[in-house]
Amino acid sequence: MDHVDRGHTNPDNPAARRNRFTRSNELQARLHDLVPGGAHTYARGPDQYPEFMAPILVRGEGCRVWDADGNCYIEYGMGLRSVTLGHAYRPVLEAVTRAIADGVSFSRPTELELLAAQDFLSLVPGADMVKFAKNGSDATTAAVRLARAVTGRTVIAVCDQPFFSVDDWFIGTTPMASGIPTEAAAGTMKFQYNDLPSLAAVLNTGVVAAVVMEAATALNEPAPGFLEGVRELCDRHRTLLIFDEMITGFRWSSGGAQAIYEVTPDLSCWGKAMGNGFPISALAGKREFMELGGLRTDRDRVFLLSTTHGAESASLAAFRAVAHEYTTGDPIARMEHAGRLLADGVNAIAADLGIADYLQVLGRPSCLIFVTRDPEGRPSQEFRTLLLQELLDRGVLGQSFVTSAAHTEPDIDRTIAACREAASVYRKAIEQGTVDGLLEGRPVAPALRRKAEPRRIDSVPE
């Protein structure tokens, strides 16, 4: 049975398009009444999708998801990059089922915590100790706190990359800084990726406790010598180097970006794909620093991480099952293979249609994004929304083209076929110079923005 075509309607009929999401729109309206923003994660908000075309999902399997209206999609993005093995991956679910049958949360550590720590440290080079938590932000903020204690300094240098934490020290630097004291943001300075002089200028102030950065991103690989230069600058200024491995961990390699580029940070922060969707994060690092949060130090102790659910058995069992898959198989090779096929296929379509300057798939094969530009070659939310709309109509869901090991060649072929039809509509918009008459509703908006406009929610149509 071809699930991809289930629920498909005529994309040229706006009424049919909106009716296809009747139940999802009803549920979304109720969510807005009970949950600020209509979602518990800003990146999952309906303002990130075409208006009245934001599916409310009910289940997933492999690389497919089903919504409340019975529509089925090939999904990309995979749980905001947290799912690498596929939804409802059987070995992970079986490991979790076995673990929770014996209880989930206890008043003392379990052997599972030791086994999971051993598994983690066997994968991550240069880390001597690890502490588990639930959210990436918790791990990153704990690393910042630890760096401040180690150095006696307070300022944090962050790379000009999208996101590091929900906590004040970082969110205070974004447009969504309401409620955050100005002094919190003042303690964070920025430098540019692949620009050692910009980092040197920040470190020369002598007040920086830690450098926080992703070693690489979907669109940016480190220039030769850059990461080595960052390491040397941090050593020279006695500043701790913290790698954010939330995305690169288990997508670049099981040992993260640090294993690929062979530069070891003092501390590293992990999450997302560690549990194939189960909530788990980790702070890992060198013993001399991590022990400040323990009981084998004469220095003032650091309140490192202490969470009720940090070591619950379900997520630790999920992590161990994920680690097993990575040590016995090669899921990264499968997701990269799917990504290369998809990028090559869509970029070839754009070239055939003469719109390669306006529609592109870019990035590391395991972490692809699509770039949408208007007729003047400027990045465009309107044209991005048009592409999302047309892909949704054809059974493809995703704010990106992030693949998993569950994406097969037939899945990629179907996606490319959907992209060919969507790209034809995109070309029409480029030729007419506007999305008017093609895009229904308001365009998407940045998730982190100061005002609810341009996607403020008042009500939904009857």
Side-chain angles (χ1 to χ4, degrees):
M1 179 178 179
D2 187 352
H3 293 296
V4 178
D5 291 332
R6 183 180 176 187
H8 180 83
T9 57
N10 181 1
D12 296 323
N13 182 344
R17 173 182 294 142
R18 190 168 284 184
N19 287 340
R20 184 183 171 200
F21 295 92
T22 300
R23 180 62 176 158
S24 285
N25 287 334
E26 291 172 353
L27 293 172
Q28 185 64 74
R30 291 170 60 189
L31 278 165
H32 280 298
D33 289 336
L34 303 176
V35 178
H40 291 284
T41 312
Y42 287 111
R44 291 184 170 99
D47 56 344
Q48 303 305 293
Y49 290 86
E51 198 163 19
F52 310 120
M53 292 182 67
I56 300 297
L57 303 182
V58 296
R59 72 181 184 94
E61 182 177 353
C63 69
R64 287 179 171 77
V65 292
W66 285 260
D67 70 14
D69 293 278
N71 304 306
C72 179
Y73 308 89
I74 298 176
E75 193 208 353
Y76 294 91
M78 301 305 292
L80 305 183
R81 301 184 180 93
S82 69
V83 176
T84 58
L85 303 177
H87 296 297
Y89 187 68
R90 190 58 51 189
V92 172
L93 296 184
E94 290 172 351
V96 170
T97 300
R98 289 192 299 270
I100 65 176
D102 291 326
V104 175
S105 185
F106 304 93
S107 297
R108 287 284 296 142
T110 63
E111 185 180 19
L112 184 57
E113 295 175 46
L114 173 63
L115 297 173
Q118 290 173 341
D119 287 349
F120 182 90
L121 294 171
S122 71
L123 295 173
V124 179
D128 303 313
M129 303 184 81
V130 62
K131 197 153 190 181
F132 296 117
K134 280 286 162 279
N135 303 299
S137 293
D138 292 344
T140 308
T141 292
V144 164
R145 185 184 305 119
L146 181 55
R148 286 172 170 161
V150 168
T151 63
R153 306 168 191 162
T154 59
V155 173
I156 305 301
V158 299
C159 196
D160 58 346
Q161 293 163 327
F163 194 86
F164 292 109
S165 175
V166 301
D167 295 302
D168 288 3
W169 66 271
F170 179 73
I171 290 297
T173 69
T174 73
M176 209 168 172
S178 180
I180 298 174
T182 55
E183 56 266 27
T188 301
M189 304 174 69
K190 291 192 175 183
F191 67 96
Q192 286 71 55
Y193 189 77
N194 273 337
D195 186 343
L196 286 175
S198 74
L199 175 59
V202 171
L203 294 182
N204 283 338
T205 62
V207 296
V208 177
V211 169
V212 179
M213 64 179 296
E214 293 180 277
T217 65
L219 294 180
N220 291 293
E221 287 285 315
F226 172 65
L227 292 179
E228 292 82 357
V230 170
R231 177 72 272 181
E232 192 277 328
L233 281 171
C234 288
D235 290 341
R236 186 192 312 169
H237 290 274
R238 297 183 179 179
T239 297
L240 267 62
L241 175 58
I242 301 170
F243 277 172
D244 181 325
E245 296 266 21
M246 297 297 160
I247 294 173
T248 51
F250 295 89
R251 281 201 173 272
W252 268 238
S253 80
S254 58
Q258 57 193 278
I260 295 291
Y261 306 115
E262 299 182 334
V263 173
T264 302
D266 298 302
L267 304 170
S268 56
C269 306
W270 302 69
K272 290 191 182 287
M274 276 183 70
N276 198 53
F278 279 86
I280 183 170
S281 65
L283 169 63
K286 297 179 179 178
R287 186 177 306 278
E288 62 181 296
F289 306 128
M290 296 288 286
E291 282 283 22
L292 295 183
L295 295 173
R296 297 193 293 193
T297 180
D298 294 323
R299 293 185 56 174
D300 288 348
R301 296 172 70 208
V302 177
F303 193 93
L304 197 55
L305 279 168
S306 183
T307 58
T308 298
H309 301 297
E312 52 82 19
S313 61
S315 293
L316 290 182
F319 165 69
R320 293 203 72 209
V322 169
H324 178 76
E325 292 298 316
Y326 274 76
T327 54
T328 60
D330 197 353
I332 290 177
R334 299 202 301 277
M335 71 179 81
E336 288 186 341
H337 175 66
R340 279 189 290 269
L341 291 176
L342 181 58
D344 290 347
V346 177
N347 286 332
I349 289 168
D352 290 344
L353 294 175
I355 57 172
D357 291 336
Y358 310 101
L359 177 61
Q360 295 174 295
V361 178
L362 303 173
R364 196 175 185 91
S366 61
C367 197
L368 296 171
I369 67 167
F370 43 78
V371 176
T372 53
R373 298 187 177 92
D374 66 14
E376 284 70 48
R378 299 169 301 196
S380 170
Q381 297 281 35
E382 290 83 1
F383 277 78
R384 172 180 170 79
T385 313
L386 178 64
L387 181 66
L388 290 171
Q389 170 185 284
E390 298 305 310
L391 289 176
L392 279 165
D393 270 330
R394 293 164 176 83
V396 175
L397 171 66
Q399 298 161 294
S400 62
F401 277 151
V402 173
T403 56
S404 73
H407 284 83
T408 65
E409 290 190 7
D411 296 321
I412 300 303
D413 290 342
R414 290 166 179 162
T415 303
I416 291 172
C419 287
R420 181 175 295 279
E421 294 181 7
S424 295
V425 177
Y426 197 97
R427 181 177 66 174
K428 183 176 180 180
I430 291 292
E431 290 172 344
Q432 70 182 26
T434 177
V435 298
D436 291 352
L438 298 172
L439 175 64
E440 184 186 4
R442 296 175 292 179
V444 299
L448 298 183
R449 61 186 188 274
R450 185 179 179 188
K451 299 289 187 180
E453 292 291 358
R455 285 288 294 268
R456 188 181 188 280
I457 301 295
D458 291 312
S459 61
V460 295
E462 295 295 333

